[in-house]
Amino acid sequence: MSASSNTNAWLKAKKKTELSEIADKIGLKNYKDLKKSDLETALDDFIAQHSARFTSNPDLAGYFTSRSKALGSPIKKEKETVKEEVEKGLKVAKRRVTKVADEIAAEANSSAILRTPARSLSQVASRVPLPASPADIAFAVDRSTVALRKRAASIYQESGITEASNATRETLSTVTSVLFSVAAFELYYIRPAILANRYAFTIPAISAIGTDDFNVYLPDMFLLLTSSFWSPALTWAFTSIIVPSIFGYFFNISANSQAGPRTRARAQAETVVDPLTFSIAKALLSYVVYAQGATFCGLLSELSIARLNNAVYGGYQGILVGTAITGLVSIYEAALKK
């Protein structure tokens, strides 16, 4: 069959001038030198290749109508029917061959099972999953426990809690730490008396967690500009730190307790302020000032002494108890060094 007989009937019915206009509209190139039959074939091929783009073009509606009629012709239907019958016959033959092969394989397997029944049963039994025994369960639990214990131990070691606790213990296991602890205890009660708290703001209630309004109080830092703060603060520093430190430095019994020449290493190892002398001087000065009301020729204010005596926990007796504790700790440390 020639190429002209396969050309679209709608294109054959057009004149060459009309075909040229169609070619120009759809963008076909190099068509001016073609004959009418060649131009029909070129347009048919070009439109068929770009059918998705030209389907909605109203100028080519006749082309697609003619094409759909041509595709639905009896000759082509007959060709498709013959093709389907051939493919169906091939599938049936292939299915028969596969069925025969499966039957042969099944017979071979059944004969093998009949020949070796014990072996086959053992293979089947080996594939059946059995429940875990108590020993297996105990082993799994023990293994999980050991893994959990190792993980917890590694997390504890990596956290550095042991090193931090050891460093804290070494820092606090000195007479100096005990002295600072006693002084901090006194300041805890003195600070509200000389630097009073004032209302700052309110944290509103949170109904979701059932809390009430919470008033926040902060130290009144403006008192730092008044004598009502500095007078008692300097009085406490004079009686609890400055004068006892001077006595502890000059009456340093621990500095002369070691025999031999005085070297640089020995000087660095010596205590700058003797803790026992510091405690004794603080106890005597606190008793004289807070219990007897001595002002040292008006150097100390009677009002400041009274405020401090009322602010410290237990009054001057509480201060004497603190000095007794630091004195005993210094004696204990000296005894351990001997």
Side-chain angles (χ1 to χ4, degrees):
M1 187 178 291
S2 62
S4 61
S5 62
N6 293 331
T7 308
N8 189 277
W10 182 78
L11 293 175
K12 287 182 179 181
K14 297 289 183 181
K15 297 180 180 180
K16 185 176 180 180
T17 55
E18 296 175 347
L19 294 177
S20 300
E21 292 178 359
I22 294 172
D24 187 45
K25 288 180 179 179
I26 65 176
L28 180 65
K29 299 179 180 179
N30 302 325
Y31 65 91
K32 295 181 179 180
D33 297 331
L34 297 177
K35 296 180 180 180
K36 182 178 182 298
S37 59
D38 296 334
L39 182 57
E40 292 172 359
T41 304
L43 284 172
D44 193 5
D45 295 338
F46 185 80
I47 296 172
Q49 292 177 1
H50 303 84
S51 58
R53 182 155 57 99
F54 299 130
T55 302
S56 59
N57 193 335
D59 296 334
L60 300 177
Y63 171 84
F64 288 104
T65 303
S66 177
R67 184 183 177 188
S68 62
K69 291 180 180 180
L71 293 177
S73 63
I75 297 174
K76 293 189 176 181
K77 287 184 178 179
E78 183 179 356
K79 290 181 179 180
E80 292 177 356
T81 305
V82 173
K83 184 178 179 181
E84 291 178 356
E85 290 180 355
V86 173
E87 292 179 352
K88 184 176 180 181
L90 292 175
K91 290 182 179 178
V92 171
K94 185 177 180 181
R95 188 160 51 245
R96 289 179 179 176
V97 173
T98 306
K99 184 177 180 181
V100 172
D102 293 340
E103 291 177 354
I104 295 172
E107 291 178 358
N109 292 333
S110 61
S111 61
I113 292 173
L114 292 174
R115 287 195 299 269
T116 57
R119 182 179 179 183
S120 300
L121 291 175
S122 63
Q123 291 178 354
V124 173
S126 63
R127 296 175 182 175
V128 176
L130 299 176
S133 62
D136 295 336
I137 296 174
F139 177 74
V141 172
D142 184 65
R143 184 172 56 186
S144 301
T145 305
V146 172
L148 183 62
R149 190 185 301 114
K150 289 183 179 180
R151 180 57 180 168
S154 63
I155 293 175
Y156 179 78
Q157 291 177 358
E158 293 174 358
S159 63
I161 297 176
T162 304
E163 292 77 5
S165 60
N166 291 335
T168 304
R169 183 181 63 182
E170 292 178 0
T171 303
L172 297 178
S173 299
T174 59
V175 180
T176 305
S177 299
V178 176
L179 291 172
F180 278 110
S181 299
V182 172
F185 181 78
E186 295 176 3
L187 285 175
Y188 177 78
Y189 289 93
I190 293 174
R191 200 276 307 167
I194 64 176
L195 192 63
N197 293 327
R198 293 291 182 268
Y199 170 78
F201 56 91
T202 300
I203 299 176
I206 303 175
S207 58
I209 58 178
T211 59
D212 299 329
D213 293 340
F214 183 76
N215 296 328
V216 178
Y217 294 88
L218 297 175
D220 187 5
M221 305 307 293
F222 289 101
L223 293 176
L224 295 175
L225 305 176
T226 62
S227 61
S228 63
F229 168 80
W230 289 108
S231 179
L234 293 176
T235 301
W236 178 84
F238 178 78
T239 57
S240 298
I241 297 177
I242 299 174
V243 175
S245 297
I246 293 173
F247 275 89
Y249 178 80
F250 287 103
F251 296 93
N252 196 337
I253 301 173
S254 61
N256 296 325
S257 60
Q258 298 180 0
R262 183 177 179 82
T263 60
R264 180 178 298 178
R266 176 183 170 185
Q268 293 178 354
E270 290 178 354
T271 304
V272 178
V273 176
D274 186 69
L276 181 59
T277 306
F278 179 91
S279 301
I280 295 173
K282 180 180 178 181
L284 292 174
L285 192 60
S286 298
Y287 178 77
V288 171
V289 173
Y290 299 114
Q292 303 300 322
T295 60
F296 295 99
C297 301
L299 181 63
L300 303 178
S301 172
E302 294 181 356
L303 179 60
S304 299
I305 294 173
R307 291 178 62 187
L308 291 173
N309 195 19
N310 294 327
V312 176
Y313 183 81
Y316 76 91
Q317 295 92 339
I319 299 176
L320 295 179
V321 171
T323 57
I325 293 173
T326 55
L328 291 175
V329 172
S330 62
I331 294 173
Y332 178 68
E333 184 189 40
L336 292 176
K337 290 182 179 180
K338 294 297 183 180

